Amino acid sequence: MNFQLISCAKRVQNSELAIKTESKQQLEIKTGAENTGLYLDLLKGKNVAIVANQTSVLSVLQRTEVAPDIMGSKKVTHHLVDYLFSYNNINVKKVFAPEHGFRGKADAAEHIKDGIDNKTGLPILSLHGKSKKPSQQQLSGIDIVVFDIQDVGARFYTYISTLHYVMEACAEAGIPVIVLDRPNPNGQYVDGPVLEMEHSSFVGKHPVPVVYGMTIGEYGQMINGEKWLKNGIQCDLKVIPLKNYTHNSEYSLAIRPSPNLPNDKSINLYPSLGFFEGTIINAGRGTEFQFQRYGASFFPKSDFNYTPKANFGAKYPKEKGKLCYGVDLSNAKKLSSINLEWLIDAYQKTPKTEKFFGNTFTIHAGNTKLQQQIEEGLSAKEIQETWKKDLEGFKLIREQYLIYD
């Protein structure tokens, strides 16, 4: 087993050696996918499978003819699959697609079907349909797997669960995995209740807080190092690091990572409003302000209202076609911690509070305590105080696997 771990003692320096943090912030962040010199040679002559979606893109310098006798260069954006398959003659055999599909158009939790990529003719195998884990048959003949998906740093966002299953299947098959790292737009803080393992599910597999403050590459190292894969098996894992990145770096996603996270505001609010997924409250699905508002038809009337309708990524939004009163958060200040005030506010505005929590609230929270605490009338501050001990323990574990400052 060739288990590779980039430890905190070998953290990537965001320049050759000693550039100050202020200077680092001014440099353009380079994703792992764009760090081509560190992985292209590893793929040559190999049968490659890629785990990818619509966010798996890279910008590279490409020579262009400015005039018949003059050559220039410009940055061109390619999808990773196209870049490897069409431009570098890498022997890509198949693509695995996570929740929302290869092109990222499916609703949350919607089953994705296998298919064929129209552009390359490659088979697309779903990891969000009949199975969420690649089968040994699907991995047969594959020499190496490349994982390149943009995460948003919230435990109930399922791409880290997909990473878990890919690593597990590859460890069982003896196939190495390369993770092309990407920034975490919520990577600047750690907060929320730590998941209790009896509530482990696809929307939260590991004993981590809702916001874990790690890139997906760092997270993969933690999965491996903590032996969270089945039977404690470890994957032959290599992380291709980012350049010019720290956990305090500002990073705006050019491509929405899933249909209902359209912009930086929704991504920043998602760890706080994601709890509404386990309630009867609409959190902006069915509007163009997903995870930037919350409301319900049974809330007290107010100046702010909206009507959820079927749209891209939300065929059946909660309260579809009903006039909802609620709270507009589109101009809320940027969060650096989880806000529970909105969840408590929605609970208090619900006439029949016994119907507020749905069957999935526990797996979103990662415990049964959060629901009990809200029902008992604890304040947001009182609830957050109960997280502190577990968060301190998690931060000690997290520190071992960080690649960046």
Side-chain angles (χ1 to χ4, degrees):
M1 183 70 67
N2 182 23
F3 169 48
Q4 302 183 44
L5 174 65
I6 302 175
S7 71
C8 55
K10 296 181 181 179
R11 289 188 191 172
V12 172
Q13 298 300 311
N14 295 324
S15 188
E16 286 301 315
L17 281 174
I19 298 179
K20 293 181 179 179
T21 300
E22 294 89 339
S23 299
K24 293 178 189 177
Q25 297 292 340
Q26 296 170 5
L27 297 173
E28 183 180 359
I29 293 171
K30 194 172 184 179
T31 66
E34 291 165 340
N35 217 347
T36 55
L38 295 182
Y39 68 91
L40 281 181
D41 285 347
L42 302 177
L43 305 180
K44 290 177 180 176
K46 304 285 180 64
N47 292 331
V48 179
I50 301 176
V51 186
N53 67 1
Q54 76 284 354
T55 66
S56 310
V57 298
L58 67 159
S59 295
V60 292
L61 282 175
Q62 186 169 305
R63 289 179 65 80
T64 58
E65 187 178 287
V66 179
D69 58 342
I70 301 175
M71 295 298 292
S73 62
K74 66 176 181 178
K75 271 202 168 184
V76 179
T77 300
H78 300 286
H79 192 281
L80 178 70
V81 172
D82 301 335
Y83 178 74
L84 296 180
F85 183 78
S86 303
Y87 293 93
N88 286 277
N89 298 314
I90 300 297
N91 192 20
V92 181
K93 289 292 189 180
K94 58 188 67 174
V95 176
F96 290 101
E99 183 175 11
H100 308 294
F102 181 47
R103 299 298 176 187
K105 296 181 179 179
D107 284 7
E110 182 178 342
H111 279 209
I112 309 298
K113 296 180 181 179
D114 295 346
I116 300 293
D117 179 41
N118 292 333
K119 191 168 184 179
T120 62
L122 291 169
I124 306 295
L125 304 175
S126 172
L127 295 180
H128 203 265
K130 292 182 291 185
S131 177
K132 294 179 173 60
K133 177 178 174 179
S135 69
Q136 295 302 294
Q137 182 180 2
Q138 289 172 329
L139 291 172
S140 178
I142 297 298
D143 299 315
I144 194 164
V145 172
V146 177
F147 186 103
D148 182 32
I149 293 176
Q150 177 65 57
D151 184 37
V152 300
R155 187 186 65 220
F156 34 63
Y157 204 59
T158 63
Y159 296 153
I160 53 173
S161 294
T162 295
L163 175 62
H164 172 106
Y165 282 126
V166 168
M167 289 174 59
E168 188 171 274
C170 288
E172 292 166 346
I175 297 172
V177 174
I178 294 177
V179 173
L180 306 182
D181 212 2
R182 290 185 174 271
N184 178 356
N186 287 310
Q188 73 276 18
Y189 71 102
V190 175
D191 201 13
V194 172
L195 180 138
E196 297 171 355
M197 286 304 291
E198 59 264 36
H199 304 297
S200 176
S201 72
F202 193 62
V203 292
K205 288 198 64 63
H206 310 118
V208 303
V210 171
V211 182
Y212 41 83
M214 307 174 81
T215 67
I216 200 160
E218 292 172 325
Y219 196 94
Q221 292 189 155
M222 184 169 63
I223 291 174
N224 232 5
E226 294 302 303
K227 297 185 178 181
W228 287 337
L229 302 178
K230 188 168 64 176
N231 299 322
I233 194 170
Q234 289 179 298
C235 174
D236 181 354
L237 177 71
K238 183 177 181 63
V239 176
I240 304 301
L242 298 150
K243 284 187 176 181
N244 309 320
Y245 174 78
T246 76
H247 285 283
N248 290 314
S249 296
E250 294 288 335
Y251 189 72
S252 181
L253 302 189
I255 299 171
R256 63 172 77 191
S258 56
N260 288 289
L261 290 181
N263 53 37
D264 294 342
K265 178 61 67 177
S266 63
I267 289 168
N268 178 246
L269 294 175
Y270 178 66
S272 297
L273 295 191
F275 290 113
F276 283 113
E277 299 288 82
T279 73
I280 59 173
I281 306 303
N282 177 282
R285 290 185 187 270
T287 76
E288 296 304 313
F289 295 88
Q290 304 97 321
F291 296 103
Q292 298 166 75
R293 58 179 56 176
Y294 64 93
S297 58
F298 44 80
F299 276 6
K301 289 185 178 181
S302 62
D303 292 338
F304 178 71
N305 61 73
Y306 64 96
T307 303
K309 299 177 181 178
N311 69 356
F312 170 70
K315 295 183 181 70
Y316 308 104
K318 294 173 187 173
E319 300 281 64
K320 179 181 176 182
K322 297 180 182 179
L323 181 65
C324 293
Y325 297 95
V327 178
D328 179 14
L329 299 172
S330 59
N331 293 312
K333 291 181 179 179
K334 185 175 181 179
L335 297 181
S336 56
S337 63
I338 284 179
N339 186 318
L340 286 179
E341 299 285 354
W342 301 321
L343 184 65
I344 293 171
D345 173 64
Y347 177 78
Q348 293 173 344
K349 287 177 177 175
T350 300
K352 296 181 179 180
T353 54
E354 69 277 8
K355 294 185 177 181
F356 181 83
F357 296 103
N359 294 332
T360 67
F361 186 81
T362 294
I363 60 173
H364 279 86
N367 61 38
T368 56
K369 292 197 290 282
L370 182 56
Q371 178 175 338
Q372 293 168 355
Q373 290 168 328
I374 293 171
E375 290 173 336
E376 290 169 3
L378 271 67
S379 69
K381 186 176 181 180
E382 289 171 329
I383 294 172
Q384 287 167 317
E385 282 292 318
T386 68
W387 300 345
K388 281 190 173 180
K389 183 178 179 180
D390 288 342
L391 285 174
E392 289 169 2
F394 170 75
K395 287 177 182 178
L396 292 176
I397 296 171
R398 169 183 177 268
E399 177 69 20
Q400 303 172 62
Y401 304 106
L402 296 182
I403 303 171
Y404 317 98
D405 295 335

